């Protein structure tokens, strides 16, 4: 099943032609309407007319998250605000959030991109789909919601949390498709076991999982326990949200919607473009977005792009599951966190030393972020009550900044390693 | 009549408590009373020792997290209802006890309890006025 077969099965040379035509438009638009791009282009002495072939994209400047922050809130917008019909944003936990906007056409585009991913993962208009992603500024919830509605499925916008209710709805409403983080899907499975339910008591057929790294072991676990076919999908809000790439039912690499997002793989150190098939940092250029054209946006995700004949019939380039990051971001229960945010949040507390370690662990299916900080005489109390108040207060403040509740553990002074070179403060003990 | 108590942060790892007491022992510090308040993550060890200032200094130098607090040693009549009479007096005067624990040795006819009050000075004054028997540091440290 295809959503936009013409594009999804396009011959390579036609795709190249389409990409070039769209790239020229994007570049023109960015240069004319976004001052940041005009400046960047001028610094490199390139102009839109230098783009004659797809290969010429190498001449163009990169865009980073910092550019989006510097332009806060609307600096990267290429259209006036009255054309914008939707605004999403990052939580902005350190410094300024990154803001993304959508025109009516962008919304159509976004819906179609997500609809493609959902269709390739099995969804049809006959399905009842439960969206267990958080709704709100995060693009995941609304992105999948609109895409699923576009496909014609019956959408249950249950959002995240309240697992008992999730399960009740799943059972009673006859949910056939689930959107969640993989860890949350396993959490639902745990509750099913506790309630003595099996996959035979529910009607799930398809599961669309993303927004955190997961591997084949987790896939087998989810599929076994929930009785569905689990596919991975990929997206990031800076470029649009979910809908950039996704697995078809072959479950063998993600088809990247390259007619709308032009992908490159670069060496993150030299910034040189690497040949197809090599591993490096994924860089995306939007080819149809009106509100925020992104030229060579550095995703920081490490992956590989390759072409192979897929039994599903799609000719779109394939992308491997991202293997890691070129920065130190990590993901806890679907929430993106940078160690610098933790550092900054801790810095607001007097008497807490800057020495800390983050341990990522699993408690059942869910992630636990353990934050170790060193005690000292000013944050140590002989009364348990005061010690607990201090810890609770610290935990709550960190939770409000990080959007996820850490488990704060006090450890002995000087017991945390003093890094002389680049500090490695995150230890991920979760099994992939 | 205040007694100096030394408190030590104990990380929840096996052997941490023994590290502290072993270290004190090696340095000739004698523990007269102790209490350990703990959660699954950490513990607070409170100690009455023969040389509180020395113990505090040694522990700090050894990179333990330590605190020093004033507590009160109350001689409670060693009869049924003895402790209740002392607590009743505190309750009547609206004094809250942060925590308390028993001192190891008895003195003639009395059980000794270590009390941590919110306001040590005010409480001491009251207890003395009410004629409650208190033990001084000299006695507690060296008995």
């Amino acid at each position: 099943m295809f959503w936009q077969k013409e594009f999804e099965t396009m011959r390579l040379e036609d795709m190249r032609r389409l990409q070039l035509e769209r790239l020229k438009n994007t570049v023109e638009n960015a240069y004319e309407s976004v001052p940041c791009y005009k400046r960047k282009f001028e610094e490199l002495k390139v102009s839109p007319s230098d783009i004659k072939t797809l290969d010429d994209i190498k001449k163009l400047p990169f865009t980073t998250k910092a550019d989006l922050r510097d332009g806060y809130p609307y600096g990267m917008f290429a259209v006036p605000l009255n054309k914008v019909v939707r605004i999403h944003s990052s939580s902005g936990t350190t410094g300024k959030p990154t803001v993304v906007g959508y025109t009516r056409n962008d919304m159509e585009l976004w819906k179609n991109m997500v609809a493609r991913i959902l269709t390739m993962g099995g969804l049809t208009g006959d399905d009842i789909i439960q969206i267990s992603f958080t709704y709100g500024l995060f693009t995941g919830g609304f992105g999948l919601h609109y895409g699923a509605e576009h496909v014609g499925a019956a959408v249950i916008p249950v959002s995240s949390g309240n697992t008992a209710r999730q399960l009740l709805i799943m059972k009673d409403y006859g949910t056939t498709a689930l959107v969640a983080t993989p860890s949350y899907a396993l959490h639902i499975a745990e509750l099913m076991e506790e309630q003595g339910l099996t996959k035979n008591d529910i009607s799930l057929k398809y599961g669309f999982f993303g927004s955190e790294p997961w591997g084949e072991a987790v896939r087998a676990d989810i599929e076994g326990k929930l009785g569905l076919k689990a596919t991975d999908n990929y997206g990031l809000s800076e470029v649009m949200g979910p809908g950039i790439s996704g697995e078809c039912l072959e479950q063998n690499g993600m088809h990247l919607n390259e007619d709308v997002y032009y992908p490159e793989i670069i060496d993150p150190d030299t910034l040189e473009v690497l040949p197809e098939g090599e591993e490096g940092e994924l860089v995306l250029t939007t080819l149809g977005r009106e509100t925020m054209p992104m030229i060579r946006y550095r995703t920081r995700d490490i992956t590989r792009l390759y072409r192979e004949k897929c039994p599903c019939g799609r000719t779109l380039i394939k992308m491997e599951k991202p293997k890691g990051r070129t920065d130190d971001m990590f993901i806890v229960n679907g929430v993106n966190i940078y160690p610098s945010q933790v550092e900054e949040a801790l810095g607001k507390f007097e008497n807490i030393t800057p020495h800390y370690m983050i341990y990522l662990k699993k408690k059942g299916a869910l992630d636990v972020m353990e934050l170790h900080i060193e005690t000292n005489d000013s944050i140590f109390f002989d009364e348990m009550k005061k010690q607990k108040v201090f810890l609770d207060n610290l935990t709550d403040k960190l939770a409000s900044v990080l959007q996820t509740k850490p488990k704060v553990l006090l450890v002995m002074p000087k017991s945390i390693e003093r890094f002389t070179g680049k500090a490695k403060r995150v230890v991920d003990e979760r099994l992939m | 009549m205040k007694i100096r108590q030394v408190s030590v942060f104990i990380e929840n790892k096996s052997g941490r408590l023994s590290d502290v007491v072993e270290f004190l022992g090696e340095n000739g510090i004698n523990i007269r009373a102790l209490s350990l308040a703990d959660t699954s993550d950490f513990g607070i060890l409170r100690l009455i020792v023969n040389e509180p200032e020395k113990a505090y200094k040694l522990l700090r130098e050894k990179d333990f997290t330590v605190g020093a607090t004033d507590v009160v040693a109350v001689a409670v009549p060693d009869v049924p209802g003895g402790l209740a009479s002392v607590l009743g007096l505190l309750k009547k005067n609206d004094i809250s006890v942060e925590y308390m624990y028993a001192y190891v040795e008895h003195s003639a006819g009395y059980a000794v309890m270590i009390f941590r009050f919110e306001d040590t000075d005010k409480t001491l004054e009251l207890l003395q006025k009410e004629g409650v028997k208190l033990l001084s540091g000299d006695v507690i440290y060296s008995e």
Side-chain angles (χ1 to χ4, degrees):
Chain A
M1 287 283 283
F2 300 95
W3 183 251
Q4 292 178 316
K5 191 173 181 189
E6 182 196 349
F7 298 104
E8 295 174 72
T9 60
M10 195 172 257
R11 287 187 316 156
L12 186 56
E13 61 224 69
D14 294 336
M15 180 61 79
R16 291 285 186 228
R17 205 172 304 127
L18 180 69
Q19 285 173 328
L20 179 60
E21 185 192 316
R22 289 181 171 175
L23 177 64
K24 284 179 178 173
N25 288 337
T26 296
V27 170
E28 185 85 29
N29 184 22
Y31 181 80
E32 294 299 333
S33 312
V34 184
C36 163
Y37 279 121
K38 184 158 200 151
R39 183 172 44 77
K40 278 172 171 278
F41 278 46
E42 279 165 2
E43 276 167 16
L44 292 177
K45 297 192 169 58
V46 288
S47 78
S49 60
D50 291 326
I51 302 298
K52 297 195 171 65
T53 68
L54 277 177
D55 208 40
D56 290 332
I57 197 169
K58 288 179 185 160
K59 298 174 183 165
L60 299 177
F62 290 103
T63 310
T64 63
K65 203 176 175 71
D67 292 317
L68 273 71
R69 287 221 180 91
D70 291 346
Y72 175 83
Y74 303 134
M76 298 302 278
F77 282 23
V79 298
L81 275 175
N82 61 7
K83 297 272 187 255
V84 172
V85 299
R86 176 76 68 78
I87 291 168
H88 279 280
S89 115
S90 71
S91 49
T93 48
T94 55
K96 292 170 186 163
T98 52
V99 181
V100 292
Y102 306 75
T103 61
R104 209 169 284 285
N105 287 336
D106 287 338
M107 288 304 297
E108 284 306 309
L109 186 67
W110 191 16
K111 273 151 60 175
N112 279 323
M113 291 306 105
V114 177
R116 281 190 199 175
I117 303 305
L118 290 171
T119 304
M120 69 176 82
L123 194 80
T124 70
D126 298 334
D127 283 298
I128 300 171
I129 186 167
Q130 187 162 335
I131 315 272
S132 305
F133 268 166
T134 309
Y135 278 69
L137 288 175
F138 166 57
T139 52
F142 278 105
L144 267 305
H145 177 108
Y146 275 68
E149 216 170 73
H150 204 41
V151 170
V155 179
I156 310 175
V158 60
S159 195
S160 57
N162 198 342
T163 314
R165 191 181 61 183
Q166 298 266 2
L167 188 51
L168 182 89
I169 288 175
M170 193 176 285
K171 201 159 66 67
D172 294 353
Y173 298 13
T175 304
T176 58
L178 175 67
V179 170
T181 61
S183 48
Y184 195 63
L186 282 177
H187 189 59
I188 294 174
E190 277 179 348
L191 187 68
M192 274 175 58
E193 272 168 40
E194 273 172 38
Q195 297 190 356
L197 299 172
T198 71
K199 59 186 177 188
N200 299 323
D201 298 304
I202 53 171
S203 320
L204 287 179
K205 288 189 295 184
Y206 305 110
F208 302 90
F209 304 109
S211 99
E212 70 185 22
W214 57 305
E216 290 306 323
V218 172
R219 180 180 343 239
D221 209 11
I222 293 176
E223 291 191 332
K225 287 176 174 156
L226 296 180
L228 49 70
K229 192 97 167 159
T231 52
D232 194 4
N233 67 83
Y234 173 84
L236 66 165
S237 64
E238 291 84 353
V239 176
M240 179 147 280
I244 290 169
S245 65
E247 284 178 331
C248 62
L249 291 169
E250 298 295 325
Q251 300 176 316
N252 183 20
M254 294 188 276
H255 294 286
L256 196 151
N257 288 321
E258 59 178 315
D259 55 318
V260 175
Y261 311 103
Y262 183 79
E264 298 170 90
I265 294 288
I266 62 163
D267 178 323
D269 298 320
T270 65
L271 305 183
E272 291 298 323
V273 177
L274 299 173
E276 205 167 278
E278 283 193 30
E279 189 177 286
E281 182 180 328
L282 178 69
V283 170
L284 294 170
T285 298
T286 60
L287 298 179
R289 196 189 199 189
E290 290 180 341
T291 310
M292 282 174 74
M294 283 285 119
I295 309 279
R296 309 189 85 196
Y297 183 77
R298 292 188 59 184
T299 66
R300 304 286 175 182
D301 285 314
I302 298 168
T303 184
R304 206 170 69 82
L305 296 173
Y306 58 100
R307 291 192 187 276
E308 67 173 18
K309 208 170 160 59
C310 188
C312 78
R314 284 175 184 78
T315 53
L316 296 167
I317 196 162
K318 278 190 174 178
M319 166 185 164
E320 273 180 1
K321 251 176 211 301
K323 278 200 183 132
R325 302 271 305 171
T326 60
D327 58 12
D328 50 7
M329 190 192 90
F330 56 92
I331 302 176
V332 178
N333 294 321
V335 179
N336 297 354
I337 298 174
Y338 290 89
S340 57
Q341 289 171 241
V342 177
E343 208 156 315
E344 207 173 294
L346 286 177
K348 295 204 172 104
F349 285 85
E350 271 177 66
N351 304 324
I352 291 184
T353 65
H355 307 291
Y356 68 93
M357 282 299 286
I358 293 163
Y359 292 87
L360 304 174
K361 299 179 176 183
K362 279 278 178 199
K363 190 179 179 192
L366 297 178
D367 297 335
V368 178
M369 172 183 166
E370 226 176 69
L371 177 64
H372 292 195
I373 56 173
E374 291 182 353
T375 53
N376 62 62
D377 296 355
S378 6
I379 60 168
F380 171 61
F381 304 89
D382 64 311
E383 293 168 45
M384 186 56 86
K385 193 168 66 189
K386 285 187 183 159
Q387 191 70 61
K388 280 194 160 162
V389 165
F390 167 81
L391 280 171
D392 289 347
N393 186 21
L394 178 65
T395 306
D396 288 348
K397 286 201 174 138
L398 288 168
S400 73
V401 169
L402 303 175
Q403 313 289 317
T404 187
K405 198 169 184 163
K407 178 172 171 58
V408 180
L409 280 184
L410 293 173
V411 298
M412 295 273 285
K414 297 187 189 171
S415 65
I416 289 173
E417 189 179 342
R418 269 42 175 174
F419 296 96
T420 45
K422 189 171 159 42
K424 201 172 165 358
R425 302 201 177 275
V426 183
V427 179
D428 197 341
E429 296 175 351
R430 298 172 293 190
L431 284 173
M432 287 280 288
Chain B
M1 292 304 255
K2 284 186 258 185
I3 311 286
R4 205 69 174 148
Q5 170 193 268
V6 177
S7 48
V8 191
F9 171 79
I10 306 285
E11 205 177 301
N12 185 20
K13 275 190 188 164
S14 62
R16 286 304 154 103
L17 181 59
S18 86
D19 287 348
V20 177
V21 295
E22 199 177 291
F23 172 71
L24 291 175
E26 282 164 5
N27 286 280
I29 302 286
N30 189 15
I31 299 169
R32 315 286 306 158
L34 69 77
S35 104
L36 181 65
D38 65 342
T39 70
S40 55
D41 298 332
F42 66 93
I44 301 169
L45 177 66
R46 299 147 188 158
L47 298 164
I48 304 295
V49 297
N50 58 345
E51 292 178 273
E53 302 306 330
K54 184 181 164 194
Y56 179 84
K57 199 165 150 276
L58 283 167
L59 287 165
R60 279 208 74 152
E61 282 166 5
K62 190 78 178 166
D63 286 328
F64 285 102
T65 301
V66 283
T69 331
D70 287 329
V71 292
V72 179
V74 179
V76 178
D78 196 4
V79 292
L83 179 59
S85 68
V86 176
L87 292 179
L89 177 66
L90 295 170
K91 187 180 164 193
K92 202 174 79 190
N93 289 278
D94 209 17
I95 288 168
S96 58
V97 178
E98 298 298 341
Y99 55 81
M100 56 184 254
Y101 52 98
Y103 181 66
V104 189
E105 289 164 43
H106 285 228
S107 62
Y110 291 95
V112 181
M113 297 294 295
I114 307 291
F115 278 85
R116 166 84 152 98
F117 300 111
E118 202 172 56
D119 187 337
T120 308
D121 290 324
K122 200 182 105 197
T123 311
L124 262 181
E125 204 177 297
L126 170 85
L127 292 174
Q128 277 165 333
K129 201 180 79 196
E130 294 284 342
V132 174
K133 187 172 179 221
L134 305 174
L135 298 179
S136 69
D138 297 346
V139 180
I140 291 294
Y141 303 147
S142 63
E143 203 169 284

